[in-house]
Amino acid sequence: MNGVPKELVLSEAQIAEALVEPVNQIIEAVKTALELTPPELSSDIVDKGIVMSGGGALLRHLDVVISQATGLPVFVAEEPALLRRPSAPARCSSISTRSATSCSSRNDLPRLS
């Protein structure tokens, strides 16, 4: 390594192979979170699905993979990169078959005790 940038061309298959383990970790984290979710919230997730936000949501077909792994509907927020902070999860008033719309930050929601 001499510090000079180098350009490489990678195929989609090579990238997919490199992401297998991180995607499996994401799936396990989602499953763990769902197992730890209280029943009163679980019913909402089953009814309305999971909305993905942040940069990871931009990974092509990750929503499909998570949906297949969990059996739940999974949607990608309309502008997922803008909704990346865990402290400000998305709230969506309308969900289409492919993406969530009308998302805003949690900051405008009432505080829970």
Side-chain angles (χ1 to χ4, degrees):
M1 305 234 13
N2 57 10
V4 178
K6 182 177 180 181
E7 186 175 320
L8 295 174
V9 177
L10 299 174
S11 71
E12 187 173 339
Q14 289 172 308
I15 294 169
E17 182 181 341
L19 291 175
V20 167
E21 186 54 35
V23 168
N24 286 335
Q25 291 175 354
I26 291 169
I27 290 168
E28 289 307 312
V30 169
K31 287 180 176 180
T32 299
L34 291 170
E35 289 171 3
L36 298 174
T37 301
E40 59 273 15
L41 296 178
S42 295
S43 63
D44 286 342
I45 295 170
V46 169
D47 292 342
K48 298 177 182 177
I50 298 169
V51 178
M52 294 175 41
S53 65
L58 298 173
L59 291 173
R60 191 180 329 170
H61 304 301
L62 183 59
D63 55 334
V64 175
V65 171
I66 292 174
S67 180
Q68 290 172 345
T70 62
L72 297 169
V74 179
F75 308 94
V76 177
E78 190 173 300
E79 295 186 51
L82 298 179
L83 304 169
R84 65 185 181 278
R85 294 182 334 179
S87 61
R91 178 189 68 166
C92 299
S93 60
S94 172
I95 298 178
S96 70
T97 57
R98 181 68 180 132
S99 66
T101 57
S102 303
C103 294
S104 61
S105 86
R106 182 181 268 276
N107 296 335
D108 61 334
L109 296 175
R111 294 188 142 235
L112 300 175
S113 302

